[in-house]
Amino acid sequence: MQTEIQQLKATDRRIQAEQGAKDGKIRALEQRNYVERCEAGLLDIPSSAPITHNLASGYGDRIRDLTATFSKAFRTTPVVSAGLMVLDLPARPSQNVRVSATVVYISSSGLTVRIRTWVNSQVFGIKVHWMACA
């Protein structure tokens, strides 16, 4: 009888230890950062639009900010990636191509990508693909 009691106590301690370990794993999962959703889109300066932006002519540093509003605000500020998708340049560029696309602002409700060119580069149209996840 004494041996059975000792075995039951040992089994009880093992079960309690396993339960404690599982409770710890559940607490860790509840606290982890996770991705609720992702959203993607395009920002562009269309080549077909009248050239009213300052990237197609001029000299020196020229910028144009493009802003996207998310379809639904994220609960936290998302992580954003962006990349050039289309770049419309002169048919026979006589100068170097200088262009950058940089995410300059991120909030839970939107983002801004800054398109920049410099010296005498001409950019007629551009598309930037972005993706935000939080």
Side-chain angles (χ1 to χ4, degrees):
M1 176 95 159
Q2 188 69 5
T3 306
E4 281 183 42
I5 292 174
Q6 289 175 340
Q7 287 176 342
L8 287 174
K9 286 182 178 180
T11 301
D12 185 49
R13 284 191 300 272
R14 183 181 52 78
I15 290 172
Q16 286 180 5
E18 288 175 3
Q19 184 65 40
K22 288 179 182 176
D23 287 344
K25 287 180 181 179
I26 289 170
R27 278 191 298 279
L29 286 171
E30 288 173 340
Q31 298 302 316
R32 78 174 184 184
N33 293 329
Y34 66 96
V35 174
E36 176 185 339
R37 68 183 175 92
C38 291
E39 187 170 328
L42 290 174
L43 294 169
D44 70 335
I45 300 172
S47 301
S48 59
I51 299 176
T52 57
H53 57 84
N54 64 348
L55 302 178
S57 62
Y59 189 88
D61 221 18
R62 290 158 285 141
I63 62 169
R64 173 80 184 265
D65 286 346
L66 305 174
T67 300
T69 302
F70 304 134
S71 63
K72 176 182 163 191
F74 288 94
R75 287 191 294 160
T76 61
T77 302
V79 174
V80 173
S81 62
L84 291 176
M85 191 170 151
V86 173
L87 190 56
D88 185 8
L89 305 168
R92 293 189 192 106
S94 58
Q95 64 273 350
N96 292 327
V97 175
R98 299 171 189 91
V99 66
S100 69
T102 307
V103 178
V104 294
Y105 175 77
I106 305 168
S107 73
S108 61
S109 59
L111 64 94
T112 300
V113 175
R114 176 165 292 157
I115 307 301
R116 177 177 171 256
T117 190
W118 56 99
V119 186
N120 59 348
S121 293
Q122 292 178 293
V123 177
F124 297 123
I126 194 166
K127 282 188 182 180
V128 176
H129 183 269
W130 59 266
M131 185 168 68
C133 297

